[in-house]
Amino acid sequence: QVQLVESGGGLVQPGESLRLSCGASGISVSLYVMHWYRQAPGKQRELVATIARDGAADYIDSVKGRFTMSKDNTKNTVYLQMNSLQPEDTAVYYCHAQTAWIDYWGQGTQVTVSS
């Protein structure tokens, strides 16, 4: 059984940081393209960051320079380091694992940025 379990969300003030983790079981993150998505209230889910099998990461423009996605194949975990958080980053953040044939989603973790 495949599971992606996100953790690390919470309530922070603008300018603060959080690190999200996505622990995988039943798959090896080294063999998947991994993504972080987010969905804010009333909005569509959007792709935030991607890390390829070789570890190369890419980001949407609004988080470039603030967010860093990484992975630890030995721990079978991917991370999203989020710095300088802003209220517009408030959303449920989801981990997603993808190959050409199949994909899996985590249950999401809430990130709220508010003063």
Side-chain angles (χ1 to χ4, degrees):
Q1 183 181 359
V2 175
Q3 281 193 310
L4 300 176
V5 180
E6 301 97 332
S7 61
L11 172 63
V12 296
Q13 295 188 345
E16 294 185 339
S17 299
L18 282 174
R19 188 177 82 153
L20 305 183
S21 298
C22 171
S25 59
I27 62 168
S28 175
V29 300
S30 64
L31 300 179
Y32 284 72
V33 178
M34 301 296 297
H35 309 277
W36 284 101
Y37 282 78
R38 66 185 179 188
Q39 188 166 19
K43 295 188 176 181
Q44 288 190 328
R45 192 171 296 190
E46 68 171 347
L47 177 63
V48 176
T50 297
I51 192 163
R53 291 172 58 180
D54 66 0
D58 197 12
Y59 309 90
I60 58 172
D61 286 345
S62 62
V63 308
K64 281 182 180 177
R66 300 189 298 123
F67 290 12
T68 303
M69 187 173 183
S70 61
K71 64 176 179 173
D72 186 334
N73 291 334
T74 63
K75 295 183 178 179
N76 217 23
T77 300
V78 296
Y79 304 96
L80 187 67
Q81 177 67 42
M82 304 186 296
N83 298 331
S84 302
L85 283 161
Q86 300 301 317
E88 53 266 34
D89 296 316
T90 294
V92 178
Y93 284 71
Y94 297 91
C95 180
H96 181 241
Q98 182 181 28
T99 69
W101 305 277
I102 198 166
D103 67 321
Y104 302 99
W105 289 92
Q107 83 290 346
T109 185
Q110 176 71 47
V111 172
T112 303
V113 185
S114 175
S115 56

